[in-house]
Every structure is written in structure tokens, then in C-alpha cells.
Amino acid sequence: MTTIAPTGAQHTIEADGFRAVVTEVGAGLRSLTHEGRPLIVGYPEDQPPVGSAGLPLLPWPNRVEDGRYEFDGQERQLALTEPKYGNAAHGFTRSFPWQVVSGHAGSVTLRLRLFPQIGYPHVLDFTISYTLDATGLEVETTALNAGGTTAPYGLGAHPYLTLGRPLDEAVLELPAGQWLAVNDRKIPVGRREVEGGPYDFRTARPIGDLALDTAFTGLARGADGLVRVRLATGDGTRGVELWAGEGIGWLQLFTGDTLAGDYRRKGLAVEPMTCPPNAFRTGEDLIRLAPGERVTHRWGISPL
């Protein structure tokens, strides 16, 4: 009897010393290494991802309060997929199988057609390309509205960066000027400045025992238009960077304090997002995707 992995078929790509494994279910990034060194917290093939590790979050990232929102005069109710807090979380596509449409040694592209779901009466075509080259991994995600009605849309992704050692020893550099305070259901209640507070990592400093499950914005970009988050050892001899392109104006950082067993604080989730938590309710930075319209976003991971 053939045993099928919880995440389905495994698609391995390799180039320039990098190796990545992408899953059929969720089109997730299960593993990423450089010369054998892990750059993300991976998980075994015979287990499901822990804490949404490596998964795209579509068509919205993070949470929708009570799963309820209004769009173009319609009241809608999403399934409550985060029952602990009574919210709808991380979109729909994490549990769907994606089809490979092209690939070669260092790249793979997967596709999914999302048909109407509870509380989301739209048809979207998604493609995700994972590509390795001498600089690292690039992920490109495109959403096309294949239906006949305008759809609310936001993108997120959930990789956990790792240095292969305890997170408390890591040094974080995060070029973000603001963060979101949340209530006890993880729903934002206001924007705060990082200046003078515990969430100011604009100058690199150790994370220590700080617990993060926090959205940041006010991102400073380089001349190339990219924002870069860096995690490094205290002596600077090893590091990993997540970069994000235009249109990604938010980053959720999560230290994994609530994860079970060996996964607790094993890595730092750095989640590129096009909109903040609860955007389906507030409309903040929410993309209105008209019929026939498409939008593409890019992010990636490189070793330091």
C-alpha cells in the first residue's frame, strides 16, 4: 500500500547550492536550504505543517473578526477557522491541492482555481512560482479574477526564518516604524509608533525573550524598492534575510511562543502581507480585484 503524505506530492528544486521542497497541498514551502544549512523551519514529509509553516495565505492573510464583513453592500459570513478566538483565519487555499503547470531544475510553478467558498462568492485563479538562483529564493504570486464580480483580495505568506539555534540568541533588524496593538482575540485596536518601545528593531538588536505576534508597517525600502528583514547571529557570522517587493506594505512577525514541542521559538515567522489583520472588515489596504484584473507580488529569502 502506498502512503500519501499529508501535503501530497513533493516538488524539489535545486540551483546554485540551494534546495527547496514545495508541497502539492497548499503550495507550501516545506524546506529551504543553502549548502545543507536550513534557512527556514521545515517539517517532515510525513507530517502536516506546524503553525501554517511555509504556506501562502490567500485570498486574505491573518484574521477576519467574527468571520463577518461587508463588501459592496453585501453582508457576508466566513467559516470560523480559528475557533479559539472566533475568527476566520488565513484564507482558503492552505488545504487545497495545487497543480504543477511548469518547472525545471531550479523552478516550479503551481496553479489553483479557487471557486466560491462560504462567505466569498468569487472565482480566482492563482499561480505561484518558486525560483532559485545564486541569490536565493524568489516567490511570485499572481491572482486573476476569473469571475464576473469584483473580489476583495489580500496576500500573505508564512515562512519561519531560522539560524539553526535558539531564537533568543538572534539579532533582528526590522525597518518598520509602526506596529498594531491588538485585543485578546488578536484583532487590531490601534496603530502605534515603534519609537522608544520594545518593538523598535530599526537598528539591529537581540530579540531576547520578547514574544511577538505583531503586525508592522511604515516600512523603509531600499533604492531597489525592496524592504528587508534580517535575522543574524550575535557575532554576525550567519544570517538570513526576507525581502518583499512593492505592494507588500505589512509584515507580521511571530516568535512561535504558542507552538507545541520543539517548534516553540524555533524560528521567527516573517510574514509578508499586502494588508493588515482584519482588512476584510476595515478595508485598509484591501485590493479590489475587478473581473479580468490580475495582480502580482514578489518576496524572497536569501542567506547572509
Side-chain angles (χ1 to χ4, degrees):
M1 177 179 176
T2 301
T3 300
I4 298 174
T7 52
Q10 310 291 300
H11 309 297
T12 301
I13 56 175
E14 296 180 279
D16 298 294
F18 291 92
R19 183 178 188 271
V21 179
V22 178
T23 63
E24 174 189 10
V25 176
L29 183 64
R30 186 172 70 79
S31 173
L32 176 64
T33 60
H34 180 240
E35 304 293 353
R37 166 195 155 196
L39 301 180
I40 66 168
V41 176
Y43 55 93
E45 182 178 344
D46 63 354
Q47 296 180 16
V50 175
S52 297
L55 288 167
L57 312 175
L58 302 165
W60 79 86
N62 214 280
R63 297 167 172 88
V64 179
E65 184 180 10
D66 299 320
R68 291 199 301 269
Y69 69 104
E70 181 180 327
F71 188 73
D72 286 351
Q74 291 184 354
E75 292 286 344
R76 298 178 176 179
Q77 177 67 61
L78 300 162
L80 301 183
T81 52
E82 190 182 43
K84 179 179 179 179
Y85 297 115
N87 301 317
H90 289 338
F92 302 112
T93 66
R94 292 177 295 163
S95 60
F96 291 152
W98 292 60
Q99 179 183 5
V100 172
V101 293
S102 65
H104 55 78
S107 179
V108 65
T109 299
L110 302 96
R111 179 179 184 271
L112 173 71
R113 172 162 289 172
L114 178 71
F115 286 100
Q117 304 292 311
I118 295 172
Y120 195 82
H122 307 287
V123 181
L124 300 186
D125 283 345
F126 295 111
T127 57
I128 297 181
S129 295
Y130 292 89
T131 303
L132 297 173
D133 62 19
T135 64
L137 173 72
E138 178 178 314
V139 184
E140 182 178 275
T141 304
T142 296
L144 166 68
N145 187 342
T149 56
T150 297
Y153 174 70
L155 166 141
H158 213 303
Y160 288 76
L161 306 185
T162 185
L163 300 171
R165 58 185 65 184
L167 189 59
D168 293 24
E169 302 173 9
V171 171
L172 172 64
E173 182 180 350
L174 170 65
Q178 298 174 321
W179 62 281
L180 290 184
V182 298
N183 61 20
D184 58 2
R185 296 175 60 198
K186 305 290 186 180
I187 299 300
V189 295
R191 194 182 295 205
R192 309 284 188 265
E193 300 294 324
V194 302
E195 180 72 36
Y199 300 141
D200 189 352
F201 288 92
R202 292 174 295 177
T203 299
R205 63 181 179 86
I207 294 174
D209 61 0
L210 180 67
L212 291 169
D213 191 0
T214 309
F216 292 86
T217 192
L219 306 180
R221 298 179 183 272
D224 56 3
L226 304 181
V227 59
R228 291 179 166 86
V229 180
R230 291 173 173 149
L231 193 68
T233 56
D235 60 9
T237 59
R238 176 179 293 188
V240 59
E241 170 186 277
L242 183 140
W243 59 265
E246 295 292 343
I248 296 175
W250 296 83
L251 296 164
Q252 180 89 11
L253 270 64
F254 175 47
T255 46
D257 295 77
T258 58
L259 300 184
D262 293 339
Y263 289 97
R264 183 183 181 276
R265 294 184 71 87
K266 187 175 183 179
L268 178 67
V270 180
E271 307 169 37
M273 305 189 301
T274 60
C275 57
N278 212 28
F280 270 29
R281 284 280 287 259
T282 66
E284 185 173 8
D285 289 340
L286 189 66
I287 295 169
R288 290 179 57 88
L289 204 58
E293 186 177 6
R294 72 178 69 223
V295 63
T296 297
H297 297 94
R298 297 166 51 247
W299 61 274
I301 297 173
S302 301
L304 299 174

